[in-house]
Amino acid sequence: MRVISTVSEFQSALDHARLSKTVGLVPTMGYLHEGHGSLIQRANSENDFVAVTVFVNPLQFGVNEDFSTYPRDLDRDVELAKHSGADIVFAPTINEMYPNYPEALPTKVSVSKLSEVLDGKSRPGHFDGVATVVAKLFAMAGKVSAYFGEKDFQQLAIIRQLASDLSFPVKVIGCKTIREADGLAASSRNVRLTQDNRRAALVLYKALQLGKELVESGENNSITVTRAMESLIKGEVRAELDYATCVDPKTLLVPDVIRNDVQLLVAAKFSDVRLIDNLKANFPEPINRAGGGVQNNDVVKADSLRLERG
Amino acid sequence: MRVISTVSEFQSALDHARLSKTVGLVPTMGYLHEGHGSLIQRANSENDFVAVTVFVNPLQFGVNEDFSTYPRDLDRDVELAKHSGADIVFAPTINEMYPNYPEALPTKVSVSKLSEVLDGKSRPGHFDGVATVVAKLFAMAGKVSAYFGEKDFQQLAIIRQLASDLSFPVKVIGCKTIREADGLAASSRNVRLTQDNRRAALVLYKALQLGKELVESGENNSITVTRAMESLIKGEVRAELDYATCVDPKTLLVPDVIRNDVQLLVAAKFSDVRLIDNLKANFPEPINRAGGGVQNNDVVKADSLRLERG
């Protein structure tokens, strides 16, 4: 397996591979874990040639965020990538990607609407940084299948939109979140949790499971679902809640009344480590879709709850 | 020669051509004239396969601009492209490019600094529209040499920056402005000029020539050069001056003191037709570069002129 550090070598390697092979791309920020391993394995099972990129993208970190402390270990990443079936690892320096760094790249890619909610609110500019670096990786990669984890649910939605809007010849494939034995979503940031915070962080998955139970048992008021998840997380003193919400999986907007499957998303900080997680909840088929009774009922419930709040 | 209207056919055609051929791309807004013809001919002379795109991009027109009246004639364009050596013409509908049009594409590409001056000031959002559509065309085209006219000098600078920043495998090639017999720069908009305005529009090229003479005879004060061009254009009653300026050809910023070659740029409206043009001016080599005298002199001249104005 080859480790490449320049854009031109990376482009040549993929162009050459594509002459006779299908190419899978797994963009990462390194410090690979089982979740990345599963992406690489899947890319390997679906393509003849797999490229893993390792680049901690400064553009997607805010000034007070953890760019400098984000964990890095290229040797370990190369081993894990190789073991999981990668053919090349592209690990550019910051200056190879952004020649005038720390001066900003003049070109910026942004995706409206999807970038404006959830993490987009909490981390201004974050998704512009993601969209710009992913557009750059897609531009250099050309025709590939690209694998991203569903753990970063909003990021995945934004990347799908970007690839479609700009007509990149890239098939964007979302892959199931990998969890540790107790349910904590695999994340490079997990290693930065203290032992106590590691234990406390489980509350995120528990809140998602609670929200899922509520929705799947027919609770159709998004405020009720949200409040239940929020209060569970607030009950954990080590968690500093950012948001707990349920949204339409396509638009990422909160429905007043849940009528279809929703995505539950949570974000919280444990000391200086910010974690996110999400889970799909299937809203049960109504027994009588044609009847207006259920819908009218829903609206009344939602309205009365809103009044209750005010 | 084939005329293609879908993105997927366009991508397939270029992928297929690239198996054995080099590919030249000539993006246009149609209503092709001699200037486009020269781009296609050059692409044809430097590549084995040439694709011309014809798309009047609504994103790059402001609400009060001439999107609806911009001239269109696809049959004529196809003939001219064929005659000039094109192998395919890609002429998508608006909805093929922007599926939810007139709803905005969520993804936007923007190039800071270069987009903020000159036409960027006069036409807010214009260059974001240009950058977005060009990024989309580059994303679908893949590895090509892309030909653009120097007539749109600022656009060319922005596209070069975009291609470099996002690592598109595209070689951006700027081509000499083609002029009508009397010097008017070829433009699709020229057909919309009345006979009187057509004659009046010549003032743009005359102003550029005047500026060039000044710079090339050693005038190093950019305000003097600018004022001379401005007053020539203002002397033409049919011209509504937007700007006349001289800038650094890389940064597009106005130097106080001219020390190197500059690009002279002008923009003016003739009734509802807005025209732009530009010309390079070579600043003469100083007789004694090592001596500080010339430079000090320059500064004094610039300063006194500024005082005179205030």
Side-chain angles (χ1 to χ4, degrees):
Chain A
M1 198 198 61
R2 212 152 59 98
V3 181
I4 282 172
S5 61
T6 68
V7 172
S8 65
E9 280 175 294
F10 179 58
Q11 288 178 315
S12 301
L14 294 204
D15 282 345
H16 182 78
R18 228 177 338 247
L19 291 176
S20 57
K21 293 169 179 166
T22 57
V23 176
L25 180 74
V26 185
T28 81
M29 296 218 300
Y31 214 76
L32 304 185
H33 51 64
E34 260 187 274
H36 300 110
S38 78
L39 299 179
I40 301 169
Q41 284 158 28
R42 174 145 176 213
N44 183 251
S45 74
E46 296 178 356
N47 300 275
D48 308 319
F49 185 91
V50 174
V52 173
T53 72
V54 173
F55 180 60
V56 185
N57 173 34
L59 296 188
Q60 70 190 68
F61 288 83
V63 279
N64 295 316
E65 291 184 356
D66 57 350
F67 175 64
S68 60
T69 54
Y70 196 88
R72 294 162 170 88
D73 187 343
L74 184 59
D75 292 342
R76 194 173 150 281
D77 289 343
V78 168
E79 275 315 300
L80 197 147
K82 186 178 168 183
H83 182 76
S84 304
D87 295 282
I88 58 168
V89 167
F90 173 51
T93 61
I94 294 184
N95 278 296
E96 178 67 12
M97 291 290 278
Y98 308 132
N100 298 318
Y101 183 83
E103 207 182 291
L105 203 63
T107 303
K108 187 176 83 175
V109 181
S110 53
V111 179
S112 67
K113 291 181 187 161
L114 292 176
S115 295
E116 288 151 18
V117 296
L118 304 167
D119 272 23
K121 269 192 186 158
S122 311
R123 306 182 65 188
H126 168 64
F127 287 118
D128 291 351
V130 170
T132 303
V133 80
V134 170
K136 188 172 166 89
L137 289 171
F138 283 0
M140 52 178 101
K143 192 171 185 167
V144 294
S145 295
Y147 297 79
F148 295 90
E150 284 178 353
K151 206 267 284 177
D152 298 302
F153 190 83
Q154 187 175 9
Q155 171 179 280
L156 177 59
I158 289 165
I159 292 170
R160 280 191 205 283
Q161 185 76 51
L162 159 78
S164 161
D165 283 354
L166 295 187
S167 300
F168 280 109
V170 174
K171 196 172 158 189
V172 176
I173 295 163
C175 304
K176 224 171 153 292
T177 300
I178 299 298
R179 299 182 179 281
E180 302 195 5
D182 58 4
L184 184 72
S187 165
S188 304
R189 289 186 171 98
N190 291 351
V191 297
R192 295 189 50 240
L193 292 167
T194 62
Q195 212 175 343
D196 286 344
N197 283 341
R198 169 67 184 78
R199 214 175 298 126
L202 252 193
V203 75
L204 296 181
Y205 187 50
K206 283 186 190 145
L208 292 173
Q209 285 176 305
L210 172 62
K212 184 180 167 77
E213 274 164 34
L214 284 171
V215 172
E216 301 197 342
S217 67
E219 176 55 61
N220 63 4
N221 187 313
S222 62
I223 299 172
T224 308
V225 175
T226 295
R227 280 188 186 166
M229 294 194 296
E230 279 176 357
S231 49
L232 193 72
I233 296 174
K234 283 179 181 165
E236 170 51 65
V237 291
R238 295 184 160 275
E240 188 193 321
L241 177 68
D242 183 350
Y243 60 77
T245 187
C246 78
V247 302
D248 177 280
K250 287 258 160 65
T251 63
L252 305 186
L253 298 177
V254 181
D256 277 354
V257 178
I258 301 172
R259 294 188 207 284
N260 300 103
D261 297 347
V262 288
Q263 203 73 22
L264 306 165
L265 295 105
V266 293
K269 278 181 91 169
F270 297 85
S271 298
D272 61 334
V273 183
R274 187 174 183 278
L275 299 179
I276 57 173
D277 199 356
N278 70 90
L279 202 60
K280 186 181 175 181
N282 303 299
F283 189 67
E285 283 289 318
I287 293 153
N288 179 9
R289 259 223 198 274
V294 177
Q295 293 203 359
N296 285 338
N297 236 346
D298 294 351
V299 173
V300 171
K301 269 178 80 184
D303 282 353
S304 57
L305 240 158
R306 239 181 266 121
L307 284 170
E308 201 187 292
R309 281 190 117 178
Chain B
M1 198 198 64
R2 211 152 59 98
V3 181
I4 281 171
S5 60
T6 68
V7 171
S8 65
E9 280 176 293
F10 179 57
Q11 287 177 316
S12 301
L14 294 204
D15 283 345
H16 182 78
R18 227 174 343 245
L19 292 176
S20 58
K21 293 169 179 166
T22 58
V23 176
L25 179 73
V26 184
T28 80
M29 295 218 300
Y31 214 77
L32 304 184
H33 50 64
E34 260 188 276
H36 300 110
S38 78
L39 299 178
I40 301 169
Q41 283 158 27
R42 175 143 175 217
N44 183 251
S45 74
E46 296 178 358
N47 299 274
D48 309 317
F49 185 92
V50 174
V52 173
T53 71
V54 172
F55 180 61
V56 185
N57 173 33
L59 297 188
Q60 69 190 68
F61 289 83
V63 278
N64 295 316
E65 291 184 356
D66 57 351
F67 175 64
S68 60
T69 55
Y70 196 88
R72 293 161 170 89
D73 187 343
L74 184 59
D75 291 342
R76 192 173 150 282
D77 290 342
V78 168
E79 275 314 299
L80 197 145
K82 186 177 167 182
H83 182 76
S84 303
D87 295 283
I88 57 167
V89 167
F90 172 51
T93 61
I94 294 184
N95 278 294
E96 178 68 13
M97 290 291 277
Y98 308 133
N100 297 317
Y101 183 83
E103 208 183 290
L105 205 62
T107 303
K108 187 177 84 174
V109 181
S110 53
V111 179
S112 67
K113 291 180 187 160
L114 293 176
S115 295
E116 288 151 20
V117 296
L118 305 167
D119 271 22
K121 269 192 186 156
S122 312
R123 305 182 66 188
H126 168 64
F127 287 119
D128 291 351
V130 170
T132 302
V133 79
V134 170
K136 188 172 166 89
L137 289 170
F138 283 1
M140 53 178 102
K143 192 171 185 168
V144 294
S145 295
Y147 297 79
F148 295 90
E150 284 178 353
K151 206 266 285 177
D152 298 303
F153 190 83
Q154 187 175 10
Q155 170 179 282
L156 177 59
I158 288 166
I159 291 170
R160 280 191 204 284
Q161 186 75 51
L162 159 78
S164 162
D165 283 353
L166 295 186
S167 300
F168 279 108
V170 174
K171 196 171 158 189
V172 176
I173 295 162
C175 304
K176 222 171 155 294
T177 300
I178 299 297
R179 299 183 179 281
E180 302 194 6
D182 57 4
L184 184 72
S187 164
S188 304
R189 289 186 170 96
N190 291 351
V191 296
R192 296 189 49 242
L193 292 166
T194 62
Q195 211 173 346
D196 286 344
N197 284 341
R198 169 67 187 76
R199 212 175 298 125
L202 251 191
V203 76
L204 296 181
Y205 187 51
K206 283 185 189 145
L208 292 172
Q209 285 176 304
L210 171 63
K212 184 180 168 76
E213 275 165 33
L214 285 170
V215 172
E216 300 197 342
S217 67
E219 176 55 61
N220 64 4
N221 187 314
S222 61
I223 299 172
T224 308
V225 175
T226 295
R227 280 188 186 167
M229 294 194 295
E230 279 176 357
S231 49
L232 193 70
I233 296 173
K234 283 180 181 163
E236 169 52 65
V237 290
R238 294 183 161 275
E240 187 193 324
L241 177 68
D242 182 351
Y243 60 78
T245 188
C246 78
V247 302
D248 178 280
K250 287 259 161 62
T251 64
L252 304 186
L253 298 177
V254 181
D256 277 354
V257 179
I258 301 171
R259 294 187 207 286
N260 300 102
D261 298 347
V262 289
Q263 202 75 20
L264 306 165
L265 295 105
V266 292
K269 277 180 93 170
F270 298 85
S271 298
D272 61 335
V273 183
R274 187 175 183 277
L275 299 179
I276 57 174
D277 198 357
N278 70 88
L279 202 61
K280 186 181 176 180
N282 303 299
F283 190 68
E285 283 289 318
I287 292 151
N288 178 11
R289 259 223 198 272
V294 177
Q295 293 203 359
N296 285 340
N297 236 345
D298 293 349
V299 174
V300 171
K301 269 179 81 182
D303 282 353
S304 58
L305 239 159
R306 242 182 265 119
L307 285 171
E308 200 185 297
R309 278 188 119 179

